Structure formats: structure tokens, C-alpha cells
Amino acid sequence: MENIISMNDMGKDEILDILELARKIENCSEEEKLKFLHGKIISTLFFEPSTRTKMSFESAAMRLGANVLSLPPVSQSSVKKGESFTDTIKMVEAYSDVIVVRHPFDGAARLASETSKKPVINAGDGSNQHPSQTLLDLYTILEEKGALENLQIAFVGDLKYGRTVHSLVKALTHFNPTIYFVAPQILQMPDYLLEDLRKHNIKYEILEDFRGCLDKIDVFYMTRIQKERFPDVEDYEKVKGIYIINRENIQKKCKDDMIILHPLPRVDEIDKNLDNTKYALYFKQARNGIPVRQAMMMTVLKKDKEFFL
């Protein structure tokens, strides 16, 4: 793969290759890892706020021996002077071996990949796609459940604007899941994604209450109601805080080996009294971003073939 922009571009084998490479990287010593991208420069262009994704990519690169260039805050960059997105990409291309892009507009990462001759990795574009989050989600599920096939998964919260959900649902079409979409009607999954599931003969149910599937599911994927994505703040006020999980409504009501995932950050949708339970995997999930994003960078730079024959 020359770029990693969308899960729509990745087949089952390509997904599994990255997950296997992440496992191999994780099993290497820190000293070995420093050789993998030694002398390479990774540029992180984040046009919207991020903590985990930005720091995870930068940490992943540094732990492989690469140097990192980070776009200054937009208010301090040439974007503030009116420089176009494509001109920014062309300039950064000259300084970098890989460009990692996050942007508030759908399709921005694709445009970057069409502009740059250097590999581009999408770190989230609008409400569209977030492939690195999807791959670390799959890696976490695989590590915890031992398989990706035939799982029952509930997605709860903001399913309309949630790019993490959109990406992961697309990837799961390769693994024959049963999916439960739990959201108020105004935040339900977009029709085009449901149509894709029907095309792939994936079973799904539309629900408004997670208690309707809690005793069946292997993975509970909670998401934040994203205030910043709502065009009308009044619509946000109608649904904020609609789903909150805690020990009282989860323990002894779910399967014993169910896991709870969340792309983070959370607000109030997961009570902290769940953090120390066996179900809570969201912080481990975030840590898994390191080997997975390392595998992504090595793949686009074709270093996987050099170090892991």
C-alpha cells in the first residue's frame, strides 16, 4: 500500500497483514525497533485538536528511530496567512518521508494523497474515516477475543458523525459479525453504510436501548456524543448524556467475557467506576495504537519487507 486513507481501500488480507506486523513489532526489543525507521522523517499535520492520535503517531515514529516534524497550531502556521491545503501538502512533502493528516473536512486525506508523491496516512477526516483507529480497534479485539470472525458487537452513541464507527463497521464486513446499532434516531448510522452491510449480507439491528442486546454481545463499543460535529447545538442538547454506562447497569447483566471499547476521549458516557473492572479495555486499546501505527508507517514505507521477510 502506498497510502492508508480509508478502510474502503483495504481488503481482508491487507488488514490482517498490518495486525500481524504490529504483533511482530511489539515482540521486538526497544533496541531493535530503533533501526526500523532510522533516518526517516514523519510529518504530522493536525488541522483539528487531538491528543491520543497525534501523540501516538509521534511516539510510534520516535520509537522506531524516526524524526518527527509537527505542524504548528493553525493560528501560527502559513494556513493563517491563507495558504491552501494543497500548497501546504506540497511543501510538507519536500520535508518528509510520510505525511500523517488529520482534518475536519471529509475527503481531505484523500486529497492530500492525490497531491503528495510521499505516502499519506489518514489520521481522521471529518466524520468520514479513521483507519488507524479501526486497525488498533481490530488489534485489541483480536488480542482479547482470539479471533475477529463471527463476533456480536454493539456500537452505542454517536453513529451518525462517528468516523471511528464508520471505519470499523466497514472493516468488519470481512469478518461476518452481527452488529447492533444503538442510538437515538437523529444519530443513527448513515443509510449508505447500512446499504453496504446489506450488500455484504451482514446481520444488524437498529436499537435505541443497549439493554436490548447487552446479554448477547462480545464487544460493547461506546462513543462520545460529539458536540463539535452538530450543525445545530439544540440537537446536541436533546441527546447529550443519553447513554451512560456504569457498574450498576453492566456488571452481571452482560456476558462474562464482554469487553468495553471506546476511541476516547470520553466525557460522561463511561462512569469511572467501570475503569478497574475486567470489561474495561479502552486504555489498553489506546496503548495498542503504538504498535499498530508503527506497522502502518512501516507498511507505506515498505520497511515491513526489509525487516520481516
Side-chain angles (χ1 to χ4, degrees), residues 21-39:
L21 179 58
R23 186 191 62 78
K24 289 177 178 176
I25 293 170
E26 199 164 23
N27 288 333
C28 291
S29 69
E30 295 303 313
E31 186 177 4
E32 287 178 293
K33 293 176 191 176
L34 288 172
K35 301 173 185 175
F36 294 163
L37 293 185
H38 178 72

Side-chain angles (χ1 to χ4, degrees), residues 185-249:
Q185 193 54 45
I186 66 168
L187 288 179
Q188 264 297 347
M189 286 289 285
D191 287 340
Y192 77 92
L193 288 166
L194 296 178
E195 176 58 33
D196 189 57
L197 292 178
R198 291 191 289 270
K199 185 177 77 174
H200 287 89
N201 297 313
I202 302 298
K203 299 176 192 172
Y204 69 86
E205 287 186 37
I206 304 292
L207 302 171
E208 290 195 20
D209 190 333
F210 62 80
R211 289 174 295 187
C213 62
L214 186 58
D215 62 344
K216 305 172 189 174
I217 57 177
D218 302 296
V219 180
F220 189 123
Y221 197 100
M222 178 60 93
T223 67
R224 173 175 63 93
I225 306 295
Q226 302 176 89
K227 182 177 182 180
E228 68 274 17
R229 304 282 180 208
F230 280 72
D232 186 341
V233 72
E234 289 186 10
D235 286 338
Y236 168 75
E237 292 297 328
K238 292 174 186 175
V239 295
K240 71 174 184 178
I242 191 168
Y243 301 118
I244 297 175
I245 58 173
N246 51 44
R247 285 188 182 222
E248 290 69 35
N249 60 19

